[in-house]
Amino acid sequence: MVPPAPTRPQGGSRRRVDDRAILAAIVHVATTGRVWRQLPPVFGASWQTVNRRFTEWSTARVLAKLYRILLHEHPDHQQIQKTKQHESRVLAPDGLIV
């Protein structure tokens, strides 16, 4: 699901940060409302690294695939889908549901 890590030339570059740590950092930013620059160092990655990986994964639709997998695994996934469909309806200015 996650795109393969780019190959790196031998040398002094840093080791790639674990994908799970990056995912935890992305979830932290998404659920706390913080901006990337406020990411605490406990995740072991800089905010630039987390933001770059978020951008790469968004482009590759990794997060959308992960969401669908998690939604399908949830015991109430049919109820969640119904709720989501209901919430996606937009109330038009004249009061009609679109």
Side-chain angles (χ1 to χ4, degrees), residues 18-31 39 43 50 57:
D18 181 53
D19 288 336
R20 290 180 186 204
I22 297 293
L23 181 59
I26 291 170
V27 169
H28 175 77
V29 169
T31 57
L39 186 68
F43 295 103
V50 176
W57 291 355

Side-chain angles (χ1 to χ4, degrees), residues 8-82:
R8 299 180 324 195
Q10 297 295 325
S13 61
R14 293 183 177 187
R15 183 174 290 217
R16 184 174 168 91
V17 178
D18 181 53
D19 288 336
R20 290 180 186 204
I22 297 293
L23 181 59
I26 291 170
V27 169
H28 175 77
V29 169
T31 57
T32 61
R34 292 182 174 197
V35 295
W36 295 113
R37 290 179 187 264
Q38 295 175 330
L39 186 68
V42 69
F43 295 103
S46 67
W47 69 266
Q48 294 96 331
T49 299
V50 176
N51 180 268
R52 183 178 58 251
R53 200 86 59 91
F54 173 77
T55 302
E56 291 170 2
W57 291 355
S58 293
T59 301
R61 309 271 308 147
V62 170
L63 299 173
K65 293 172 190 173
L66 180 61
Y67 174 77
R68 282 195 303 272
I69 289 169
L70 292 173
L71 181 65
H72 185 69
E73 294 289 323
H74 194 280
D76 294 331
H77 75 276
Q78 291 177 342
Q79 182 61 35
I80 293 171
Q81 284 293 86
K82 290 177 186 175

